[in-house]
Amino acid sequence: MDFNLEEFERIVKKFEELIPSLQSKLDDVPSVVAKATDHWYVTDDIESFIKMVGRKIVEFGSWLLSTIKDLLKGIAAPVYMALAAWDWYEIRGTVTQCQADINPDQSKALREWKGQAATNYKTTSTTQKDAAKRVGEIAEKTATALAACAAGGAVFYAAVLASFAKGIEATAAAIAALGSGVFSWAGVCLVFEEAVSQPVTIWTLVTGLTALIGAQVSQLAAMQSGLTDNSAFPGGKWPGANTDSFSDATRFDGTASWSVIG
């Protein structure tokens, strides 16, 4: 499940098109009702029926519009999470390269450098290599969690968009039926059906997204404990360099304070 920025931008643009479209349709309802009831053959009962349908259309459309606007307050979050995920992937690349660079097992100098300084250096670089490895692991897991949230957010808004479009279609159909002079309980049922199903659909989507984000938050909380792991970060800090213990530069013979064998 990947986050596609271009595809997400199309979703955002579609919301921007549909919101004023729905508002315009709702604004037309009073005039549609007035025209539908302005006929000599419209009885009092039919007039009441038409006005009731008009009120239900406006109530449903207003609720839908308000709910969508509330949900759209967080629509930028998937983009920011995707950007943050890419940053964390870059951090992972940097620290894993650092891990490889300071790995004493890969050091050509340590094949020739002997003595206490070499031993101290190997111990220190091994500790720092392990710390870099842990940072790389945390960076990777953080990036993965953020990427999952970004992708989940994109799927969520795509589903909300589909539900929103369906609600607008039902509203437009009900308004058209209202203005056509064809009055039936079927038209009323269409409005009621959407009024009942839309909240269920939308809040089911919200629940699913909340569960996804909750799982990633739990994962991030677990990863945070890794930053206080004394095996990689003594006392919760980056391992000391201990450079003052590298003064013995002996090579091969190990007898002098330092010596270079030609």
Side-chain angles (χ1 to χ4, degrees):
M1 187 167 60
D2 297 323
F3 179 82
N4 186 305
L5 183 58
E6 291 184 1
E7 188 175 309
F8 192 70
E9 286 176 343
R10 285 194 289 270
I11 291 173
V12 174
K13 185 176 181 180
K14 192 63 178 178
F15 272 118
E16 292 173 347
E17 293 172 356
L18 290 180
I19 288 175
S21 173
L22 176 57
Q23 185 62 66
S24 177
K25 288 177 172 58
L26 296 179
D27 292 342
D28 289 341
V29 171
S31 61
V32 172
V33 170
K35 290 179 182 178
T37 56
D38 188 23
H39 299 287
W40 63 267
Y41 53 81
V42 175
T43 65
D44 290 343
D45 288 343
I46 293 177
E47 181 178 352
S48 296
F49 174 76
I50 293 172
K51 289 180 178 179
M52 182 272 290
V53 173
R55 286 194 302 272
K56 293 302 177 183
I57 291 173
V58 172
E59 287 175 9
F60 167 69
S62 297
W63 171 86
L64 182 59
L65 199 57
S66 175
T67 301
I68 294 301
K69 287 181 178 179
D70 282 342
L71 293 175
L72 290 180
K73 291 176 181 178
I75 199 167
V79 177
Y80 285 115
M81 287 187 285
L83 292 174
W86 294 331
D87 287 341
W88 277 103
Y89 279 127
E90 288 185 0
I91 291 172
R92 177 188 177 278
T94 299
V95 296
T96 52
Q97 182 60 55
C98 175
Q99 174 193 346
D101 290 342
I102 64 177
N103 186 351
D105 295 331
Q106 303 299 321
S107 173
K108 181 179 179 180
L110 282 177
R111 298 193 190 109
E112 301 177 349
W113 187 14
K114 305 297 179 181
Q116 188 60 46
T119 301
N120 293 342
Y121 177 82
K122 184 173 184 179
T123 299
T124 297
S125 57
T126 297
T127 302
Q128 298 217 347
K129 178 203 72 173
D130 292 343
K133 178 182 179 183
R134 181 60 56 85
V135 173
E137 291 170 350
I138 292 172
E140 181 177 16
K141 290 179 180 179
T142 301
T144 300
L146 287 168
C149 287
V155 171
F156 168 76
Y157 279 111
V160 170
L161 177 62
S163 181
F164 185 36
K166 181 182 177 184
I168 292 176
E169 289 176 4
T171 301
I175 294 172
L178 195 62
S180 68
V182 179
F183 314 119
S184 69
W185 286 106
V188 179
C189 289
L190 177 64
V191 177
F192 285 141
E193 179 185 355
E194 288 301 315
V196 171
S197 67
Q198 283 287 328
V200 173
T201 299
I202 289 175
W203 294 121
T204 297
L205 294 173
V206 170
T207 300
L209 181 63
T210 301
L212 171 65
I213 293 176
Q216 301 309 318
V217 169
S218 296
Q219 177 73 358
L220 290 172
M223 285 187 287
Q224 186 176 5
S225 66
L227 291 171
T228 58
D229 184 353
N230 284 331
S231 64
F233 307 103
K237 299 179 180 179
W238 186 263
N242 298 323
T243 53
D244 57 349
S245 65
F246 303 155
S247 58
D248 179 0
T250 302
R251 293 179 59 192
F252 296 117
D253 61 354
T255 58
S257 295
W258 68 272
S259 61
V260 177
I261 306 302

